[in-house]
Structure formats: structure tokens, C-alpha cells
Amino acid sequence: MVQYELRQQVIEPKRRAFQHLVDRYGDRAASRYLEGSIDVQPREHFHYRPLWDPEHEIYDEAFSALRLADPYSFLDPRQYYYATYTQARAAHQEAFTRSLSYVVDRGLLGGLAEGWQRLLARTVVPLRHYESGAELVSAAASRFAYGTTIEQCASFAAFDRIASAQSLSRIGLALGGDTDAVLLEAKAAWLEAPALQGVRKAVEELLVEPDWAVGLLGLDLVDSMLYPMLFRELDEHALLEGASAYGLLAQHFTAWFEDQRRWLDALMRTWVHDPTHGEANRRVLQGITARWLPVARVAVGAIAREAGECLGAPQLATAGGLLADGVEARMAAALSATEQGSA
């Protein structure tokens, strides 16, 4: 009787990476993120220029004043491609759903003080329309950005923004007892409430901004004040006022914003450190900050004052200005560091 012995054999692959990755990074194994991201952007053999903008190719670096000598010098620090992104966001949404179910099952939203309920219904939930606008700004960036590593970050951000709009809608439905009355009130507030007209005007102007990078960074300047104001400052106040239900939900928005900041900060550093366009990019970034930071200061300042009035906490009215100072200092430090690095 013949006996056979099973042995494991290791077959070494003839190639460890695609040639364009070998040319760029050397002959080594590449991650799934790099394989699905690097040099995917079409660069030649376009059939015609777009009829709606014959001055540009259908994929064109000149859609933005912010340029990179190599579009793939930027890499997402989160290393998100489709699989890793969907896994991360599925976990995030499951965590939010658990928190919301906990709050609803115990009637914690209904037990909030009147000021907190008014703030949620008239200020926080209406910002679902802000998030819907932010989705369109991010989608425009995903269409016109040059280089897949940038484009896919903007695409993921667009999905995130509509998810945030839906999360705020779910909070509104929970607050209104599973009726759409709160959502209708939220829409009316978005259109008419004085405290929201600043952010409404900002997002509507960003929707028609022709430079996708200006739209993205202008939105980020508003975000950089709005998110800390609503979901950090108010969370800390909620802990002192016994409004723990708000804090349970706010933490998920704070976590998302910190994740969003990672790739935007990395992209801005790449722009300003670019060996060819870095100095020009720095001037463009200074112009964006000068244009949009005052807009964000006024818009979020109005929300901060509204929050202070609803909660009887006048100290919240000054939080908007402090946050604006912090954002301005962060931008100035980033740009000055670039100047020193270039010297």
C-alpha cells in the first residue's frame, strides 16, 4: 500500500507588486490601499473637453488653484479604501444606534430640561440640512479633485456627511416621539431662524464655489468651529446640567470630526510642503482662511449665543470667539511652520 505524505509548499510570487508601484516605491509588497489608490486617475486619451467647461479637460488639475507636483504625494493616514472604510463606518453606525436605542428606551430625551429640548429641536436637528449641503460640497470635491488618493477621501467624506444628516434626523424623530413634526419644525428653523442663517448662507455659497479645494477647506473652517461648539462645549455643559443623553449622542459626532480632521490636516501639509507649488499653495491657503474664517466666526457665534440663551448659560456665547481664535492660531502655525521649513 502506497502512503502519501502531504507537504506544504510555499510558492514565491514572481512579482510582489504592480509595476507602477515598483517604480514608485521599490520592489516590495504593496498594501491593498496602495494597490487600489495609486495612479488610478486617468491622465490621457480623453475624447473631448466637457461642453459645460471647454477650458478644462474632463479630469484636470486646473480645477483648483491648489496644486501638487505629484498628486499621489498625498496618502490618507487612515489608509481607507472601500473595504476598510465600510468596516470602520459600519462599526461607527452600530455604536451610534446602540447609544440612540439606550436613550430612547429609557426616555432620556423626553426627560431633558425644556431648554435642552428647545436647543435640540430648533438648532441641532436643523443642522441636518447643513450636513446635506456639506455632502454636496464634498461630492463636488470628489468629482473635480485630481488624484485618486484625494478623490476617494472626498467621496468617503460625502458619504459621511449624509450619514450625519440621517443621524441628526433620527435624533429628531426620537425627540418628537417617532413623528415628523420635529423634522418639519427643523426645516422651518433652517429657513427662518436667525441663529442658523449664518451657517445656511455659508454652505449655500460653498455649494457654488467653482474651486473644489476652496469649497472643501471653507467648509472645514466652519466645521472646525461648529463641531467643537455643538458636540464638545455643549457636551461638557451637559455633564454639569444632568443632560447625559445629549453627551451620549454627541460623542459620536465628535469622534467622526476627529477622524475627518486627520486626512484634511495631512492634505494641507502636503499642499504647503509641495516642492514645486508649496509657496503658491501657502498664499492660496492664507486667502481661504482670510475669506472663510470670519464667516465661520459670525455663523457659529450666532449658534453659540442661541445655545447660551436656551440653556441659561451666557458663558457659551463667548465660546464661538474662543474657538475661532483657536482655529486661526492652528492655521497660522501650520503656515508659519511651512515658511520656516522652506527657509
Side-chain angles (χ1 to χ4, degrees):
M1 181 176 180
V2 180
Q3 293 184 348
Y4 295 96
E5 181 181 356
L6 296 178
R7 294 181 181 180
Q8 182 180 11
Q9 291 186 339
V10 177
I11 301 175
E12 293 292 337
K14 292 183 178 181
R15 301 176 63 89
R16 288 184 286 185
F18 296 111
Q19 187 59 48
H20 65 280
L21 296 176
V22 173
D23 294 341
R24 184 181 287 270
Y25 300 113
D27 188 11
R28 59 183 177 85
S31 67
R32 291 290 181 88
Y33 168 73
L34 294 177
E35 288 180 344
S37 305
I38 300 300
D39 290 325
V40 176
Q41 169 73 58
R43 297 187 179 186
E44 56 188 8
H45 304 311
F46 303 138
H47 294 288
Y48 53 83
R49 289 174 178 261
L51 298 177
W52 42 267
D53 188 358
E55 299 300 317
H56 294 95
E57 294 285 1
I58 192 168
Y59 301 111
D60 200 321
E61 293 178 277
F63 278 123
S64 175
L66 289 163
R67 306 282 287 274
L68 290 174
D70 175 12
Y72 295 97
S73 59
F74 165 75
L75 297 177
D76 184 356
R78 307 166 302 177
Q79 300 282 289
Y80 279 168
Y81 62 100
Y82 179 78
T84 51
Y85 168 76
T86 53
Q87 289 167 3
R89 289 301 178 262
H92 181 85
Q93 285 300 312
E94 287 173 4
F96 176 79
T97 298
R98 286 195 299 270
S99 295
L100 184 62
S101 296
Y102 179 89
V103 167
V104 171
D105 291 344
R106 287 157 180 79
L108 298 181
L109 288 178
L112 289 173
E114 181 182 352
W116 279 101
Q117 293 200 33
R118 185 166 66 250
L119 178 66
L120 276 168
R122 299 182 185 178
T123 304
V124 177
V125 174
L127 290 173
R128 70 195 189 102
H129 298 285
Y130 170 81
E131 295 293 343
S132 295
E135 181 225 356
L136 296 178
V137 173
S138 302
S142 74
R143 163 58 184 91
F144 294 106
Y146 196 83
T148 305
T149 53
I150 301 175
E151 176 275 326
Q152 65 186 1
C153 284
S155 295
F156 296 151
F159 287 120
D160 288 344
R161 303 312 294 240
I162 201 62
S164 294
Q166 292 170 347
S167 295
L168 291 171
S169 299
R170 293 175 67 186
I171 293 173
L173 290 170
L175 188 67
D178 293 326
T179 69
D180 60 359
V182 172
L183 299 186
L184 293 174
E185 181 182 354
K187 181 178 179 180
W190 176 251
L191 294 174
E192 301 170 4
L196 296 175
Q197 297 316 297
V199 290
R200 179 187 167 203
K201 181 180 179 182
V203 77
E204 288 179 354
E205 290 182 354
L206 289 168
L207 281 171
V208 296
E209 168 58 50
D211 187 317
W212 64 266
V214 174
L216 200 64
L217 294 178
L219 179 67
D220 176 61
L221 287 171
V222 180
D223 283 343
S224 294
M225 292 182 58
L226 184 62
Y227 268 77
M229 173 64 222
L230 282 180
F231 304 117
R232 189 185 69 202
E233 299 293 329
L234 290 185
D235 181 24
E236 293 177 359
H237 189 71
L239 292 175
L240 300 175
E241 296 294 319
S244 59
Y246 184 84
L248 284 172
L249 302 175
Q251 64 176 323
H252 300 286
F253 295 94
T254 300
W256 173 81
F257 179 66
E258 291 174 353
D259 185 74
Q260 169 84 344
R261 280 244 49 84
R262 290 181 63 196
W263 76 269
L264 282 171
D265 285 343
L267 178 57
M268 191 168 72
R269 285 194 300 269
T270 306
W271 272 327
V272 295
H273 288 291
D274 187 82
T276 302
H277 304 287
E279 183 62 26
N281 288 344
R282 185 174 62 82
R283 290 193 295 270
V284 173
L285 288 167
Q286 288 174 330
I288 295 171
T289 303
R291 166 70 178 90
W292 286 102
L293 186 58
V295 172
R297 183 189 293 267
V298 171
V300 179
I303 292 176
R305 289 191 295 274
E306 177 73 8
E309 292 175 5
C310 287
L311 304 180
Q315 70 272 19
L316 291 175
T318 63
L322 295 175
L323 290 169
D325 292 341
V327 174
E328 185 174 16
R330 173 173 62 82
M331 294 295 294
L335 296 176
S336 64
T338 302
E339 288 182 301
Q340 294 169 6
S342 301

